[in-house]
Amino acid sequence: MKIQFHGHSCVEIHHESARIIIDPFISPNPMAKTSADDVQVDHILLTHGHADHVADALAIARRNNATIVANAELAGYFAGQGVSAIPMNTGGSVDLGFGRVRLTPAVHSSSLAIEDTRQIIYLGNPNGFIIKLGGKTLYHAGDTDLFLDMKLIGERNDIDVAFLPIGDHFTMGPDDAVAAAEWVRAGLVIPIHYNTFPPIRQDAAAFVAALGSKGIKGQVVEVGQVIEL
Ligand code: NI
Ligand code: MN
């Protein structure tokens, strides 16, 4: 399994015939090392409607004839733009052919600002994803605060890799993310949602060191880097 970090919360996963991207925010990301035009996927998983998670979703979906997987309102929004979308809701799971994807809770919000009309539309509740693929279980927490049900997520899933936001300001910060990692009990924790903009600047190496002091394995994955699982 190959996992590429495109920066911010954007993670692309390829395993055998499965080609997935989560929260594509590449073309507007000043830190990006890759191009959204090069992304080849069949499924686009969206945690919530904020622009820093869905910016490239429509273009990638159209170019690849890919299916968007998201909460009902967000999926409906993209289906209304003519792309294939699977609507879900929190706690639900679907079989996408390569494996199962489940929507987990997240403590955040989910809206999209429409620039033309200056309207903000609300697009359901925010989520994370549990992805079961190739014998591995991945947890992408989305944008979220620390919440106690992460304990439940850790108890009920044998998570190999957890992607946790550490940026603070819009999500939990590093201290709470360490607590989240203790509850989620993943084999490997990868920090996301930091350093993209000045308000979410964080020391990811210090976060990984803090994980290490709790006996938890963490890894800073550089923007554009591919890791093998
Ligand atoms: Ni957000
Ligand atoms: Mn965000």
Side-chain angles (χ1 to χ4, degrees), residues 51-72:
D52 60 316
H53 298 259
V54 308
D56 294 312
L58 192 59
I60 291 172
R62 283 182 171 152
R63 186 170 46 74
N64 289 278
N65 202 18
T67 299
I68 285 173
V69 182
N71 82 53

Side-chain angles (χ1 to χ4, degrees), residues 8 48 52-53 143 193:
H8 207 52
H48 63 295
D52 60 316
H53 298 259
D143 278 7
H193 211 272

